Amino acid sequence: MFEKLREAFSSLTKIVSEKKLSEKEVDDILFNFQLTLLESDVAQEVVEKICADLRSQLMGMSVERSKDVGELVRERLRTSILEIFAKTGTVDVPGLIEAAKEKGEPFVILFLGINGTGKTTTVAKFAYFLKQNGFSVAVAAGDTHRAGAIEQLTQHADRMSVKVVAQRYGADPAAVARDGVLYAKAHHVDVLIVDSAGRMQTNQNLMEEMGKIVRVVSPNLKIFIGDSLAGNDAISQAQMFSKYTGFDGAILTKTDADTKGGAALSIAFVTGRPIMFLGVGQEYKDLKKFDANSFVDLLLG
Ligand code: GDP
């Protein structure tokens, strides 16, 4: 997992530990480091932040250097990355649901994302996570465009004994979402998860459709699903959803197969929203709460 980014960090700390660096050498090292970060799907803005932080540290150390310089650089990298995640805050999903329950209202979660990113699987994993936490769940099949989407969601839901609220293909997704809310209210269901369509993010209609669902059901939480294997595409999709519908947090899927590792860092930085969970496999249980410290430990060793 995330091998490429881990390798970039470890070779940087190794180089700077080995010899005294001139200003030119610092620049050359940082230039190569920047390239590796970019190749690891770290967005340009994030690369600039990390390298600016590092440059000041490396230059400051050029006169009086110690053997622990590699360790200092690692610490600087750790601080730089943790700063990015600290700015986004976190989302306490069970806490928010409990608060809604006290008011006697269903908690509505809208899932946003492009087809193929693992959205449907993640809706199922999330329903499983909520059930494991003792909440009752229903799902609304809001992707009324993609052939098979309703059946796929229904199959998952049946396996978990979760109710699916659906209409025919081509129906208005906002109407499906509203039906879902009415069902959840009538049956005292704690959480309604609304799936949505995922045609390409450049499609203006898709963004308008998402905007309509948001207006009609006012979700308590909007979660963006990004495919960590999609690299820069995942980052631009996140920016697009962030701009048109806004979202409260992101789930990154397929991180178990991601050898690069830059997507989490980049999405958090460019949208200012937290990474809430990581998809780490194809089973329902394979949804892991994101923890910034563990993520940095994994990257920096
Ligand atoms: P959707 O089109 O966005 O609804 O995508 P699907 O939910 O149908 O998922 C597409 C593929 O990605 C399926 O084969 C899923 O099993 C797979 N997938 C989803 N999440 C993960 C994950 O976290 N890890 C791995 N390895 N595969 C995943």
Side-chain angles (χ1 to χ4, degrees):
M1 205 169 168
F2 311 150
E3 289 83 353
K4 197 165 170 91
L5 203 50
R6 283 156 65 183
E7 172 63 29
F9 291 137
S10 91
S11 52
L12 176 77
T13 48
K14 189 160 177 291
I15 292 172
V16 298
S17 312
E18 279 169 357
K19 59 194 196 68
K20 183 165 171 148
L21 301 175
S22 66
E23 185 165 352
K24 162 97 175 53
E25 282 172 323
V26 169
D27 285 338
D28 288 348
I29 288 168
L30 285 181
F31 181 75
N32 285 323
F33 183 55
Q34 283 182 9
L35 289 185
T36 324
L37 291 184
L38 289 169
E39 284 165 12
S40 306
D41 297 338
V42 179
Q44 179 71 39
E45 303 94 306
V46 187
V47 173
E48 281 166 19
K49 176 203 165 12
I50 292 178
C51 289
D53 288 353
L54 266 179
R55 189 169 201 287
S56 54
Q57 166 130 31
L58 289 175
M59 295 313 296
M61 290 189 310
S62 61
V63 180
E64 197 179 321
R65 292 165 50 80
S66 77
K67 273 190 280 177
D68 294 335
V69 72
E71 193 45 45
L72 287 171
V73 167
R74 192 176 290 114
E75 277 315 306
R76 183 65 250 178
L77 283 170
R78 177 181 298 277
T79 309
S80 241
I81 296 171
L82 286 177
E83 269 171 16
I84 293 175
F85 292 120
K87 278 199 183 131
T88 66
T90 51
V91 182
D92 168 19
V93 179
L96 291 172
I97 297 172
E98 288 296 353
K101 266 181 88 165
E102 273 169 29
K103 290 193 217 150
E105 290 168 6
F107 190 81
V108 181
I109 307 177
L110 174 63
F111 273 59
L112 304 160
I114 298 302
N115 286 341
T117 53
K119 185 156 60 64
T120 313
T121 310
T122 309
V123 167
K125 287 177 178 176
F126 210 77
Y128 179 81
F129 161 77
L130 293 172
K131 286 195 76 172
Q132 293 292 100
N133 278 268
F135 299 112
S136 57
V137 184
V139 292
D143 185 356
T144 58
H145 297 280
R146 179 166 69 87
I150 299 174
E151 289 78 5
Q152 194 187 346
L153 195 60
T154 306
Q155 260 182 14
H156 285 305
D158 284 352
R159 264 182 232 148
M160 287 183 274
S161 307
V162 160
K163 164 79 181 173
V164 180
V165 177
Q167 293 185 12
R168 65 185 195 291
Y169 282 103
D172 179 356
V176 178
R178 191 174 40 211
D179 278 2
V181 174
L182 293 177
Y183 176 89
K185 280 188 176 156
H187 294 83
H188 306 289
V189 174
D190 299 328
V191 186
L192 174 75
I193 301 179
V194 180
D195 190 14
S196 64
R199 289 160 290 160
M200 275 315 288
Q201 80 275 20
T202 45
N203 187 328
Q204 186 68 24
N205 290 342
L206 174 61
M207 292 302 146
E208 282 167 9
E209 189 173 292
M210 297 303 116
K212 187 172 173 194
I213 302 178
V214 170
R215 280 200 310 278
V216 170
V217 299
S218 307
N220 301 79
L221 202 61
K222 287 171 279 181
I223 302 181
F224 167 74
I225 308 301
D227 178 347
S228 71
L229 302 181
N232 288 316
D233 279 350
I235 299 159
S236 54
Q237 287 161 14
Q239 279 175 310
M240 185 67 75
F241 279 101
S242 171
K243 179 172 165 202
Y244 283 101
T245 54
F247 57 81
D248 305 289
I251 298 180
L252 262 190
T253 62
K254 309 179 196 173
T255 59
D256 50 310
D258 180 9
T259 56
K260 294 181 171 178
L265 203 53
S266 304
I267 289 175
F269 187 84
V270 300
T271 68
R273 293 289 175 236
I275 305 295
M276 299 166 62
F277 291 87
L278 301 178
V280 294
Q282 304 203 39
E283 293 180 34
Y284 296 146
K285 63 169 178 38
D286 293 331
L287 187 69
K288 209 168 104 187
K289 200 167 183 316
F290 178 79
D291 174 65
N293 284 302
S294 315
F295 179 78
V296 176
D297 286 346
L298 180 65
L299 291 183
L300 297 177

PDB file of all heavy atoms in Angstrom, residues 139-174:
ATOM      1  N   VAL A 139     -31.889   2.262   2.353  1.00  0.00           N
ATOM      2  CA  VAL A 139     -31.180   2.956   1.272  1.00  0.00           C
ATOM      3  C   VAL A 139     -32.174   3.351   0.178  1.00  0.00           C
ATOM      4  O   VAL A 139     -33.154   2.650  -0.066  1.00  0.00           O
ATOM      5  CB  VAL A 139     -30.041   2.111   0.644  1.00  0.00           C
ATOM      6  CG1 VAL A 139     -28.901   1.908   1.602  1.00  0.00           C
ATOM      7  CG2 VAL A 139     -30.543   0.776   0.122  1.00  0.00           C
ATOM      8  N   ALA A 140     -31.890   4.497  -0.440  1.00  0.00           N
ATOM      9  CA  ALA A 140     -32.712   4.953  -1.561  1.00  0.00           C
ATOM     10  C   ALA A 140     -31.878   4.821  -2.827  1.00  0.00           C
ATOM     11  O   ALA A 140     -30.750   5.319  -2.894  1.00  0.00           O
ATOM     12  CB  ALA A 140     -33.140   6.409  -1.339  1.00  0.00           C
ATOM     13  N   ALA A 141     -32.449   4.126  -3.825  1.00  0.00           N
ATOM     14  CA  ALA A 141     -31.693   3.839  -5.056  1.00  0.00           C
ATOM     15  C   ALA A 141     -31.786   5.029  -6.017  1.00  0.00           C
ATOM     16  O   ALA A 141     -32.571   5.032  -6.965  1.00  0.00           O
ATOM     17  CB  ALA A 141     -32.231   2.565  -5.689  1.00  0.00           C
ATOM     18  N   GLY A 142     -30.972   6.025  -5.735  1.00  0.00           N
ATOM     19  CA  GLY A 142     -31.049   7.288  -6.495  1.00  0.00           C
ATOM     20  C   GLY A 142     -30.323   7.270  -7.830  1.00  0.00           C
ATOM     21  O   GLY A 142     -30.405   8.235  -8.581  1.00  0.00           O
ATOM     22  N   ASP A 143     -29.588   6.187  -8.127  1.00  0.00           N
ATOM     23  CA  ASP A 143     -28.988   6.128  -9.462  1.00  0.00           C
ATOM     24  C   ASP A 143     -29.992   5.470 -10.391  1.00  0.00           C
ATOM     25  O   ASP A 143     -30.022   4.254 -10.558  1.00  0.00           O
ATOM     26  CB  ASP A 143     -27.675   5.341  -9.451  1.00  0.00           C
ATOM     27  CG  ASP A 143     -26.993   5.379 -10.819  1.00  0.00           C
ATOM     28  OD1 ASP A 143     -27.604   5.962 -11.759  1.00  0.00           O
ATOM     29  OD2 ASP A 143     -25.882   4.866 -10.955  1.00  0.00           O
ATOM     30  N   THR A 144     -30.841   6.297 -10.985  1.00  0.00           N
ATOM     31  CA  THR A 144     -31.909   5.761 -11.834  1.00  0.00           C
ATOM     32  C   THR A 144     -31.484   5.756 -13.308  1.00  0.00           C
ATOM     33  O   THR A 144     -32.290   5.525 -14.190  1.00  0.00           O
ATOM     34  CB  THR A 144     -33.191   6.604 -11.677  1.00  0.00           C
ATOM     35  OG1 THR A 144     -32.874   7.953 -12.031  1.00  0.00           O
ATOM     36  CG2 THR A 144     -33.717   6.570 -10.264  1.00  0.00           C
ATOM     37  N   HIS A 145     -30.198   6.043 -13.543  1.00  0.00           N
ATOM     38  CA  HIS A 145     -29.717   6.115 -14.936  1.00  0.00           C
ATOM     39  C   HIS A 145     -28.958   4.874 -15.355  1.00  0.00           C
ATOM     40  O   HIS A 145     -29.143   4.372 -16.446  1.00  0.00           O
ATOM     41  CB  HIS A 145     -28.784   7.320 -15.105  1.00  0.00           C
ATOM     42  CG  HIS A 145     -29.479   8.620 -14.852  1.00  0.00           C
ATOM     43  ND1 HIS A 145     -30.279   9.228 -15.781  1.00  0.00           N
ATOM     44  CD2 HIS A 145     -29.498   9.413 -13.755  1.00  0.00           C
ATOM     45  CE1 HIS A 145     -30.768  10.345 -15.274  1.00  0.00           C
ATOM     46  NE2 HIS A 145     -30.305  10.480 -14.045  1.00  0.00           N
ATOM     47  N   ARG A 146     -28.053   4.401 -14.489  1.00  0.00           N
ATOM     48  CA  ARG A 146     -27.159   3.320 -14.907  1.00  0.00           C
ATOM     49  C   ARG A 146     -27.900   1.986 -14.877  1.00  0.00           C
ATOM     50  O   ARG A 146     -28.469   1.610 -13.847  1.00  0.00           O
ATOM     51  CB  ARG A 146     -25.945   3.265 -13.965  1.00  0.00           C
ATOM     52  CG  ARG A 146     -24.956   2.156 -14.304  1.00  0.00           C
ATOM     53  CD  ARG A 146     -23.647   2.363 -13.565  1.00  0.00           C
ATOM     54  NE  ARG A 146     -23.747   2.177 -12.129  1.00  0.00           N
ATOM     55  CZ  ARG A 146     -23.616   1.016 -11.500  1.00  0.00           C
ATOM     56  NH1 ARG A 146     -23.388  -0.092 -12.180  1.00  0.00           N
ATOM     57  NH2 ARG A 146     -23.696   0.937 -10.183  1.00  0.00           N
ATOM     58  N   ALA A 147     -27.862   1.282 -16.010  1.00  0.00           N
ATOM     59  CA  ALA A 147     -28.515  -0.030 -16.087  1.00  0.00           C
ATOM     60  C   ALA A 147     -27.922  -0.932 -15.019  1.00  0.00           C
ATOM     61  O   ALA A 147     -26.703  -1.014 -14.870  1.00  0.00           O
ATOM     62  CB  ALA A 147     -28.300  -0.634 -17.464  1.00  0.00           C
ATOM     63  N   GLY A 148     -28.767  -1.578 -14.250  1.00  0.00           N
ATOM     64  CA  GLY A 148     -28.277  -2.536 -13.250  1.00  0.00           C
ATOM     65  C   GLY A 148     -28.000  -1.929 -11.886  1.00  0.00           C
ATOM     66  O   GLY A 148     -27.804  -2.652 -10.919  1.00  0.00           O
ATOM     67  N   ALA A 149     -27.999  -0.589 -11.805  1.00  0.00           N
ATOM     68  CA  ALA A 149     -27.627   0.043 -10.525  1.00  0.00           C
ATOM     69  C   ALA A 149     -28.613  -0.324  -9.408  1.00  0.00           C
ATOM     70  O   ALA A 149     -28.202  -0.613  -8.273  1.00  0.00           O
ATOM     71  CB  ALA A 149     -27.541   1.559 -10.689  1.00  0.00           C
ATOM     72  N   ILE A 150     -29.910  -0.316  -9.757  1.00  0.00           N
ATOM     73  CA  ILE A 150     -30.931  -0.579  -8.725  1.00  0.00           C
ATOM     74  C   ILE A 150     -30.824  -2.040  -8.251  1.00  0.00           C
ATOM     75  O   ILE A 150     -30.834  -2.317  -7.048  1.00  0.00           O
ATOM     76  CB  ILE A 150     -32.359  -0.263  -9.258  1.00  0.00           C
ATOM     77  CG1 ILE A 150     -32.440   1.226  -9.638  1.00  0.00           C
ATOM     78  CG2 ILE A 150     -33.415  -0.624  -8.219  1.00  0.00           C
ATOM     79  CD1 ILE A 150     -33.745   1.643 -10.306  1.00  0.00           C
ATOM     80  N   GLU A 151     -30.635  -2.954  -9.228  1.00  0.00           N
ATOM     81  CA  GLU A 151     -30.519  -4.380  -8.866  1.00  0.00           C
ATOM     82  C   GLU A 151     -29.272  -4.627  -8.016  1.00  0.00           C
ATOM     83  O   GLU A 151     -29.303  -5.391  -7.052  1.00  0.00           O
ATOM     84  CB  GLU A 151     -30.437  -5.267 -10.118  1.00  0.00           C
ATOM     85  CG  GLU A 151     -31.730  -5.385 -10.909  1.00  0.00           C
ATOM     86  CD  GLU A 151     -32.033  -4.175 -11.781  1.00  0.00           C
ATOM     87  OE1 GLU A 151     -31.183  -3.257 -11.846  1.00  0.00           O
ATOM     88  OE2 GLU A 151     -33.115  -4.152 -12.382  1.00  0.00           O
ATOM     89  N   GLN A 152     -28.169  -3.970  -8.395  1.00  0.00           N
ATOM     90  CA  GLN A 152     -26.905  -4.155  -7.664  1.00  0.00           C
ATOM     91  C   GLN A 152     -27.064  -3.722  -6.202  1.00  0.00           C
ATOM     92  O   GLN A 152     -26.671  -4.430  -5.276  1.00  0.00           O
ATOM     93  CB  GLN A 152     -25.811  -3.324  -8.353  1.00  0.00           C
ATOM     94  CG  GLN A 152     -24.400  -3.673  -7.908  1.00  0.00           C
ATOM     95  CD  GLN A 152     -23.363  -2.694  -8.493  1.00  0.00           C
ATOM     96  OE1 GLN A 152     -23.648  -1.933  -9.416  1.00  0.00           O
ATOM     97  NE2 GLN A 152     -22.170  -2.719  -7.939  1.00  0.00           N
ATOM     98  N   LEU A 153     -27.711  -2.573  -6.032  1.00  0.00           N
ATOM     99  CA  LEU A 153     -27.912  -2.060  -4.676  1.00  0.00           C
ATOM    100  C   LEU A 153     -28.871  -2.978  -3.903  1.00  0.00           C
ATOM    101  O   LEU A 153     -28.651  -3.272  -2.722  1.00  0.00           O
ATOM    102  CB  LEU A 153     -28.482  -0.630  -4.770  1.00  0.00           C
ATOM    103  CG  LEU A 153     -28.440   0.191  -3.511  1.00  0.00           C
ATOM    104  CD1 LEU A 153     -27.012   0.368  -3.009  1.00  0.00           C
ATOM    105  CD2 LEU A 153     -29.065   1.575  -3.760  1.00  0.00           C
ATOM    106  N   THR A 154     -29.912  -3.432  -4.599  1.00  0.00           N
ATOM    107  CA  THR A 154     -30.906  -4.296  -3.954  1.00  0.00           C
ATOM    108  C   THR A 154     -30.267  -5.607  -3.482  1.00  0.00           C
ATOM    109  O   THR A 154     -30.553  -6.085  -2.376  1.00  0.00           O
ATOM    110  CB  THR A 154     -32.077  -4.588  -4.924  1.00  0.00           C
ATOM    111  OG1 THR A 154     -32.586  -3.346  -5.384  1.00  0.00           O
ATOM    112  CG2 THR A 154     -33.190  -5.371  -4.243  1.00  0.00           C
ATOM    113  N   GLN A 155     -29.372  -6.144  -4.322  1.00  0.00           N
ATOM    114  CA  GLN A 155     -28.681  -7.396  -3.937  1.00  0.00           C
ATOM    115  C   GLN A 155     -27.907  -7.226  -2.629  1.00  0.00           C
ATOM    116  O   GLN A 155     -27.997  -8.040  -1.718  1.00  0.00           O
ATOM    117  CB  GLN A 155     -27.674  -7.768  -5.014  1.00  0.00           C
ATOM    118  CG  GLN A 155     -28.165  -8.829  -5.954  1.00  0.00           C
ATOM    119  CD  GLN A 155     -27.085  -9.184  -6.975  1.00  0.00           C
ATOM    120  OE1 GLN A 155     -25.916  -8.826  -6.826  1.00  0.00           O
ATOM    121  NE2 GLN A 155     -27.495  -9.886  -8.011  1.00  0.00           N
ATOM    122  N   HIS A 156     -27.139  -6.129  -2.569  1.00  0.00           N
ATOM    123  CA  HIS A 156     -26.374  -5.857  -1.335  1.00  0.00           C
ATOM    124  C   HIS A 156     -27.327  -5.701  -0.154  1.00  0.00           C
ATOM    125  O   HIS A 156     -27.108  -6.272   0.913  1.00  0.00           O
ATOM    126  CB  HIS A 156     -25.582  -4.550  -1.484  1.00  0.00           C
ATOM    127  CG  HIS A 156     -24.366  -4.658  -2.362  1.00  0.00           C
ATOM    128  ND1 HIS A 156     -23.374  -5.569  -2.148  1.00  0.00           N
ATOM    129  CD2 HIS A 156     -23.987  -3.925  -3.439  1.00  0.00           C
ATOM    130  CE1 HIS A 156     -22.425  -5.411  -3.069  1.00  0.00           C
ATOM    131  NE2 HIS A 156     -22.771  -4.417  -3.866  1.00  0.00           N
ATOM    132  N   ALA A 157     -28.372  -4.895  -0.360  1.00  0.00           N
ATOM    133  CA  ALA A 157     -29.285  -4.583   0.743  1.00  0.00           C
ATOM    134  C   ALA A 157     -29.975  -5.843   1.245  1.00  0.00           C
ATOM    135  O   ALA A 157     -30.106  -6.053   2.460  1.00  0.00           O
ATOM    136  CB  ALA A 157     -30.306  -3.545   0.277  1.00  0.00           C
ATOM    137  N   ASP A 158     -30.376  -6.719   0.309  1.00  0.00           N
ATOM    138  CA  ASP A 158     -31.057  -7.963   0.699  1.00  0.00           C
ATOM    139  C   ASP A 158     -30.155  -8.801   1.594  1.00  0.00           C
ATOM    140  O   ASP A 158     -30.591  -9.385   2.582  1.00  0.00           O
ATOM    141  CB  ASP A 158     -31.452  -8.773  -0.546  1.00  0.00           C
ATOM    142  CG  ASP A 158     -32.670  -8.163  -1.243  1.00  0.00           C
ATOM    143  OD1 ASP A 158     -33.260  -7.221  -0.662  1.00  0.00           O
ATOM    144  OD2 ASP A 158     -33.005  -8.598  -2.361  1.00  0.00           O
ATOM    145  N   ARG A 159     -28.869  -8.849   1.212  1.00  0.00           N
ATOM    146  CA  ARG A 159     -27.916  -9.644   2.003  1.00  0.00           C
ATOM    147  C   ARG A 159     -27.825  -9.139   3.444  1.00  0.00           C
ATOM    148  O   ARG A 159     -27.513  -9.882   4.350  1.00  0.00           O
ATOM    149  CB  ARG A 159     -26.532  -9.556   1.375  1.00  0.00           C
ATOM    150  CG  ARG A 159     -26.244 -10.715   0.458  1.00  0.00           C
ATOM    151  CD  ARG A 159     -24.847 -10.637  -0.112  1.00  0.00           C
ATOM    152  NE  ARG A 159     -24.925 -10.764  -1.559  1.00  0.00           N
ATOM    153  CZ  ARG A 159     -24.115 -10.182  -2.427  1.00  0.00           C
ATOM    154  NH1 ARG A 159     -23.144  -9.401  -1.996  1.00  0.00           N
ATOM    155  NH2 ARG A 159     -24.262 -10.349  -3.700  1.00  0.00           N
ATOM    156  N   MET A 160     -28.082  -7.826   3.602  1.00  0.00           N
ATOM    157  CA  MET A 160     -27.951  -7.256   4.961  1.00  0.00           C
ATOM    158  C   MET A 160     -29.303  -7.008   5.613  1.00  0.00           C
ATOM    159  O   MET A 160     -29.376  -6.355   6.642  1.00  0.00           O
ATOM    160  CB  MET A 160     -27.188  -5.926   4.866  1.00  0.00           C
ATOM    161  CG  MET A 160     -25.732  -6.118   4.594  1.00  0.00           C
ATOM    162  SD  MET A 160     -24.890  -4.535   4.582  1.00  0.00           S
ATOM    163  CE  MET A 160     -25.150  -4.057   2.924  1.00  0.00           C
ATOM    164  N   SER A 161     -30.371  -7.479   4.957  1.00  0.00           N
ATOM    165  CA  SER A 161     -31.737  -7.204   5.419  1.00  0.00           C
ATOM    166  C   SER A 161     -31.979  -5.707   5.607  1.00  0.00           C
ATOM    167  O   SER A 161     -32.502  -5.272   6.642  1.00  0.00           O
ATOM    168  CB  SER A 161     -32.025  -7.942   6.739  1.00  0.00           C
ATOM    169  OG  SER A 161     -31.728  -9.292   6.606  1.00  0.00           O
ATOM    170  N   VAL A 162     -31.572  -4.960   4.608  1.00  0.00           N
ATOM    171  CA  VAL A 162     -31.798  -3.513   4.638  1.00  0.00           C
ATOM    172  C   VAL A 162     -32.842  -3.177   3.577  1.00  0.00           C
ATOM    173  O   VAL A 162     -32.792  -3.702   2.464  1.00  0.00           O
ATOM    174  CB  VAL A 162     -30.455  -2.775   4.342  1.00  0.00           C
ATOM    175  CG1 VAL A 162     -30.682  -1.352   3.890  1.00  0.00           C
ATOM    176  CG2 VAL A 162     -29.541  -2.802   5.563  1.00  0.00           C
ATOM    177  N   LYS A 163     -33.785  -2.321   3.913  1.00  0.00           N
ATOM    178  CA  LYS A 163     -34.848  -1.945   2.970  1.00  0.00           C
ATOM    179  C   LYS A 163     -34.298  -1.038   1.868  1.00  0.00           C
ATOM    180  O   LYS A 163     -33.540  -0.098   2.138  1.00  0.00           O
ATOM    181  CB  LYS A 163     -35.953  -1.224   3.769  1.00  0.00           C
ATOM    182  CG  LYS A 163     -36.927  -0.453   2.933  1.00  0.00           C
ATOM    183  CD  LYS A 163     -37.966  -1.365   2.287  1.00  0.00           C
ATOM    184  CE  LYS A 163     -38.936  -0.557   1.416  1.00  0.00           C
ATOM    185  NZ  LYS A 163     -39.847  -1.413   0.650  1.00  0.00           N
ATOM    186  N   VAL A 164     -34.692  -1.314   0.603  1.00  0.00           N
ATOM    187  CA  VAL A 164     -34.333  -0.420  -0.507  1.00  0.00           C
ATOM    188  C   VAL A 164     -35.588   0.299  -0.968  1.00  0.00           C
ATOM    189  O   VAL A 164     -36.606  -0.334  -1.245  1.00  0.00           O
ATOM    190  CB  VAL A 164     -33.781  -1.204  -1.725  1.00  0.00           C
ATOM    191  CG1 VAL A 164     -33.419  -0.242  -2.850  1.00  0.00           C
ATOM    192  CG2 VAL A 164     -32.579  -2.012  -1.329  1.00  0.00           C
ATOM    193  N   VAL A 165     -35.510   1.615  -1.034  1.00  0.00           N
ATOM    194  CA  VAL A 165     -36.608   2.391  -1.601  1.00  0.00           C
ATOM    195  C   VAL A 165     -36.212   2.719  -3.038  1.00  0.00           C
ATOM    196  O   VAL A 165     -35.154   3.316  -3.270  1.00  0.00           O
ATOM    197  CB  VAL A 165     -36.838   3.692  -0.801  1.00  0.00           C
ATOM    198  CG1 VAL A 165     -37.934   4.532  -1.431  1.00  0.00           C
ATOM    199  CG2 VAL A 165     -37.154   3.353   0.652  1.00  0.00           C
ATOM    200  N   ALA A 166     -37.025   2.278  -4.004  1.00  0.00           N
ATOM    201  CA  ALA A 166     -36.639   2.465  -5.409  1.00  0.00           C
ATOM    202  C   ALA A 166     -37.862   2.800  -6.256  1.00  0.00           C
ATOM    203  O   ALA A 166     -39.000   2.528  -5.869  1.00  0.00           O
ATOM    204  CB  ALA A 166     -35.985   1.192  -5.932  1.00  0.00           C
ATOM    205  N   GLN A 167     -37.601   3.422  -7.393  1.00  0.00           N
ATOM    206  CA  GLN A 167     -38.644   3.593  -8.410  1.00  0.00           C
ATOM    207  C   GLN A 167     -38.116   2.974  -9.695  1.00  0.00           C
ATOM    208  O   GLN A 167     -37.104   2.283  -9.680  1.00  0.00           O
ATOM    209  CB  GLN A 167     -38.945   5.082  -8.607  1.00  0.00           C
ATOM    210  CG  GLN A 167     -39.601   5.757  -7.403  1.00  0.00           C
ATOM    211  CD  GLN A 167     -40.000   7.206  -7.701  1.00  0.00           C
ATOM    212  OE1 GLN A 167     -40.003   7.650  -8.836  1.00  0.00           O
ATOM    213  NE2 GLN A 167     -40.319   7.950  -6.645  1.00  0.00           N
ATOM    214  N   ARG A 168     -38.747   3.266 -10.812  1.00  0.00           N
ATOM    215  CA  ARG A 168     -38.291   2.701 -12.098  1.00  0.00           C
ATOM    216  C   ARG A 168     -37.042   3.450 -12.587  1.00  0.00           C
ATOM    217  O   ARG A 168     -36.737   4.555 -12.107  1.00  0.00           O
ATOM    218  CB  ARG A 168     -39.405   2.817 -13.142  1.00  0.00           C
ATOM    219  CG  ARG A 168     -39.701   4.249 -13.456  1.00  0.00           C
ATOM    220  CD  ARG A 168     -40.867   4.490 -14.381  1.00  0.00           C
ATOM    221  NE  ARG A 168     -40.792   5.876 -14.858  1.00  0.00           N
ATOM    222  CZ  ARG A 168     -40.981   6.957 -14.123  1.00  0.00           C
ATOM    223  NH1 ARG A 168     -41.249   6.845 -12.829  1.00  0.00           N
ATOM    224  NH2 ARG A 168     -40.878   8.156 -14.641  1.00  0.00           N
ATOM    225  N   TYR A 169     -36.343   2.849 -13.572  1.00  0.00           N
ATOM    226  CA  TYR A 169     -35.230   3.554 -14.213  1.00  0.00           C
ATOM    227  C   TYR A 169     -35.760   4.798 -14.917  1.00  0.00           C
ATOM    228  O   TYR A 169     -36.865   4.790 -15.451  1.00  0.00           O
ATOM    229  CB  TYR A 169     -34.506   2.640 -15.214  1.00  0.00           C
ATOM    230  CG  TYR A 169     -33.592   1.671 -14.510  1.00  0.00           C
ATOM    231  CD1 TYR A 169     -33.955   0.345 -14.332  1.00  0.00           C
ATOM    232  CD2 TYR A 169     -32.380   2.107 -13.982  1.00  0.00           C
ATOM    233  CE1 TYR A 169     -33.130  -0.534 -13.650  1.00  0.00           C
ATOM    234  CE2 TYR A 169     -31.541   1.231 -13.292  1.00  0.00           C
ATOM    235  CZ  TYR A 169     -31.923  -0.081 -13.132  1.00  0.00           C
ATOM    236  OH  TYR A 169     -31.107  -0.933 -12.448  1.00  0.00           O
ATOM    237  N   GLY A 170     -35.003   5.864 -14.871  1.00  0.00           N
ATOM    238  CA  GLY A 170     -35.413   7.104 -15.529  1.00  0.00           C
ATOM    239  C   GLY A 170     -36.204   8.018 -14.603  1.00  0.00           C
ATOM    240  O   GLY A 170     -36.480   9.169 -14.935  1.00  0.00           O
ATOM    241  N   ALA A 171     -36.591   7.519 -13.413  1.00  0.00           N
ATOM    242  CA  ALA A 171     -37.350   8.346 -12.464  1.00  0.00           C
ATOM    243  C   ALA A 171     -36.465   9.480 -11.943  1.00  0.00           C
ATOM    244  O   ALA A 171     -35.235   9.424 -12.038  1.00  0.00           O
ATOM    245  CB  ALA A 171     -37.835   7.478 -11.311  1.00  0.00           C
ATOM    246  N   ASP A 172     -37.102  10.490 -11.381  1.00  0.00           N
ATOM    247  CA  ASP A 172     -36.356  11.637 -10.843  1.00  0.00           C
ATOM    248  C   ASP A 172     -35.668  11.208  -9.533  1.00  0.00           C
ATOM    249  O   ASP A 172     -36.348  10.837  -8.566  1.00  0.00           O
ATOM    250  CB  ASP A 172     -37.347  12.771 -10.586  1.00  0.00           C
ATOM    251  CG  ASP A 172     -36.672  14.008  -9.995  1.00  0.00           C
ATOM    252  OD1 ASP A 172     -35.453  13.955  -9.723  1.00  0.00           O
ATOM    253  OD2 ASP A 172     -37.372  15.016  -9.800  1.00  0.00           O
ATOM    254  N   PRO A 173     -34.332  11.245  -9.488  1.00  0.00           N
ATOM    255  CA  PRO A 173     -33.615  10.802  -8.279  1.00  0.00           C
ATOM    256  C   PRO A 173     -34.026  11.573  -7.023  1.00  0.00           C
ATOM    257  O   PRO A 173     -34.049  11.001  -5.935  1.00  0.00           O
ATOM    258  CB  PRO A 173     -32.148  11.086  -8.612  1.00  0.00           C
ATOM    259  CG  PRO A 173     -32.093  11.147 -10.093  1.00  0.00           C
ATOM    260  CD  PRO A 173     -33.416  11.669 -10.550  1.00  0.00           C
ATOM    261  N   ALA A 174     -34.384  12.850  -7.204  1.00  0.00           N
ATOM    262  CA  ALA A 174     -34.793  13.629  -6.022  1.00  0.00           C
ATOM    263  C   ALA A 174     -36.101  13.074  -5.455  1.00  0.00           C
ATOM    264  O   ALA A 174     -36.302  13.052  -4.233  1.00  0.00           O
ATOM    265  CB  ALA A 174     -34.948  15.107  -6.398  1.00  0.00           C
TER     266      ALA A 174
END
